[in-house]
Amino acid sequence: MPEIKEIKLVLEDGTVFEGKSFGYHKSIAGEVVFNTAMTGYPESLTDPSYKGQILVSTFPLIGNYGVPKSDEENGIPKFYESDQIHISGLIISDYSFEYSHWNAEGSLRDWLIKNEIPGIFDIDTRALTKVLREKGSMLGKILVDDTDIEQYDPNFDNLVAQVSITEKKTYGNGKNKVVLVDTGAKYNILRCLLKRDTTVTVVPWDYDFTQEDYDGVMLSNGPGNPEMCEATIANIKKAIEIGKPIFGICLGNQLLGMASGGKTYKLKYGHRAHNHPVIKVGTDSCYITSQNHGYALDNDSLTDDWEPYFINVNDKSNEGIRHKSKPFFSTQFHPEASSGPTDTEFLFDDFIKNIEDYKK
């Protein structure tokens, strides 16, 4: 076992948690959020939606299956959600210094150190999560060697601009042309589109994609405050006028809602897990979904042409919208989640069907 150094987490309300360092030994600041998923830390750490955040895993043992190989397929990593780690820091209860998995090529610790991401273990993450649930997500600092730093609130930065690609890129050679607006897109959205006979053109967050030759628009997930994405919202408004099928996921749900006249608000501590139950409005169908978001669309702000598509069973918040007559819909959850349930992946099939029906 390597030398263990002392490290601590300091929340903005003054609460201090002392632990041991197992990642890169440096001080950082960000928004402290928690995820209750039991598996999938390689996917979570590379999810651009976590940009600027210090991630707390409530599952007690992390690192036991290492990190996967860096193989590529269709020009993108096969087992990660982006090309890099996006979290600012990782906080866990117990770290497994030994790992075992058929697909592992290294340890979580070595991966964090290589990417200069601090990690803390031996912290009571249940007590920490209780604080965040009662008081809400709050700012925090990971401090080493008692070196203090300034607080950092990522909600005042345009995080989407930091994680989005800067030039458009095309993948696949299928019959249906889809524009994927990259506001922090997970690669599994791209994978799900490519296996459905599509040509996918990925464009930057502020790119006017309405000038492209496309059959449908995919609005991706992403980090931060949706109000920072004014350019994206303006382009979505144009796409709504054009009328071709639109499918939004997570941040894409919020942006589609805002482009249609709706409003968003910040959740107390967000939805980050693999087990959020949602009801399809007008049915008795309940789906267990994977989620990662800190903002939500206000159901009451929807205009007359739109209606809620899914509702969260736990807090009745919006989990999707759809247009009453046109082929536009979106979900707040991740129907393509690779580390969680896949029982809502049929929504991709619905999107492709909308495209093919529109082209008739």
Side-chain angles (χ1 to χ4, degrees):
M1 183 180 292
E3 178 188 0
I4 303 299
K5 298 180 179 179
E6 298 297 318
I7 192 170
K8 62 184 177 181
L9 169 70
V10 180
L11 299 178
E12 64 176 310
D13 68 349
T15 304
V16 178
F17 290 87
E18 296 185 352
K20 300 178 176 64
S21 175
F22 75 99
Y24 193 75
H25 203 60
K26 73 171 182 180
S27 298
I28 59 95
E31 183 182 29
V32 184
V33 300
F34 66 89
N35 187 317
T36 60
M38 295 173 65
T39 61
Y41 57 80
E43 291 88 347
S44 291
L45 270 59
T46 55
D47 181 352
S49 295
Y50 279 119
K51 182 71 175 179
Q53 295 179 325
I54 299 171
L55 177 60
V56 180
S57 175
T58 63
F59 190 71
L61 180 63
I62 298 294
N64 55 309
Y65 59 89
V67 295
K69 298 174 183 176
S70 52
D71 296 355
E72 289 197 353
E73 187 175 70
N74 295 318
I76 60 175
K78 193 174 181 179
F79 304 108
Y80 296 104
E81 292 305 325
S82 70
D83 296 315
Q84 66 186 85
I85 297 178
H86 286 284
I87 65 167
S88 296
L90 181 62
I91 300 172
I92 64 175
S93 175
D94 189 15
Y95 176 67
S96 175
F97 283 88
E98 295 184 4
Y99 64 91
S100 178
H101 193 273
W102 66 269
N103 193 34
E105 72 170 4
S107 72
L108 173 59
R109 178 177 184 271
D110 290 342
W111 190 38
L112 291 177
I113 292 174
K114 179 181 178 181
N115 288 273
E116 299 188 1
I117 305 296
I120 304 177
F121 78 101
D122 202 23
I123 274 185
D124 187 344
T125 53
R126 292 193 177 193
L128 172 55
T129 301
K130 187 175 180 180
V131 172
L132 298 177
R133 282 182 63 93
E134 291 180 351
K135 297 185 178 181
S137 297
M138 62 179 71
L139 304 183
K141 299 181 284 188
I142 291 177
L143 300 180
V144 302
D145 303 326
D146 291 323
T147 303
D148 201 4
I149 57 174
E150 293 291 324
Q151 289 282 17
Y152 168 63
D153 189 344
N155 296 293
F156 290 101
D157 278 351
N158 188 341
L159 302 177
V160 166
Q162 298 178 27
V163 300
S164 176
I165 60 171
T166 55
E167 296 181 352
K168 70 176 182 177
K169 189 172 182 179
T170 300
Y171 298 86
N173 188 29
K175 65 178 182 180
N176 295 313
K177 299 176 182 178
V178 175
V179 168
L180 172 56
V181 183
D182 179 18
T183 52
K186 297 196 302 179
Y187 278 145
N188 212 33
I189 294 177
L190 182 55
R191 296 184 194 108
C192 287
L193 290 172
L194 290 175
K195 72 180 183 181
R196 287 170 170 81
D197 197 17
T198 60
T199 300
V200 182
T201 300
V202 185
V203 300
W205 71 281
D206 57 351
Y207 182 86
D208 186 1
F209 58 84
T210 61
Q211 305 301 313
E212 295 289 318
D213 177 21
Y214 69 87
D215 299 315
V217 178
M218 171 66 73
L219 307 174
S220 82
N221 63 292
N225 188 342
E227 293 182 356
M228 297 291 180
C229 301
E230 293 181 358
T232 317
I233 294 169
N235 291 327
I236 296 171
K237 288 180 179 179
K238 295 181 185 178
I240 290 174
E241 290 297 319
I242 292 172
K244 294 181 179 180
I246 302 173
F247 178 19
I249 291 176
C250 199
L251 178 62
N253 177 62
Q254 299 161 26
L255 297 182
L256 181 61
M258 294 174 75
S260 63
K263 297 180 180 179
T264 60
Y265 63 96
K266 196 174 192 306
L267 294 165
K268 183 176 180 180
Y269 47 80
H271 297 157
R272 299 175 182 89
H274 290 166
N275 59 352
H276 276 276
V278 304
I279 289 285
K280 186 176 181 181
V281 175
T283 75
D284 292 326
S285 298
C286 181
Y287 302 95
I288 304 302
T289 65
S290 179
Q291 303 194 17
N292 175 17
H293 61 104
Y295 289 80
L297 187 62
D298 183 356
N299 282 313
D300 295 332
S301 71
L302 296 178
T303 59
D304 292 340
D305 292 333
W306 295 79
E307 62 185 0
Y309 193 7
F310 297 92
I311 296 293
N312 190 291
V313 174
N314 293 330
D315 62 10
K316 311 305 178 185
S317 62
N318 179 269
E319 292 288 354
I321 59 173
R322 59 183 171 185
H323 196 277
K324 293 179 180 179
S325 61
K326 296 181 179 180
F328 313 144
F329 72 93
S330 56
T331 68
Q332 189 58 61
F333 53 88
H334 295 260
E336 84 299 339
S338 60
S339 58
T342 57
D343 59 348
T344 54
E345 197 177 318
F346 70 86
L347 292 166
F348 281 86
D349 298 323
D350 292 349
F351 175 51
I352 299 302
K353 184 178 185 301
N354 283 347
I355 288 175
E356 293 177 344
D357 289 345
Y358 187 89
K359 292 166 67 175
K360 290 179 180 178

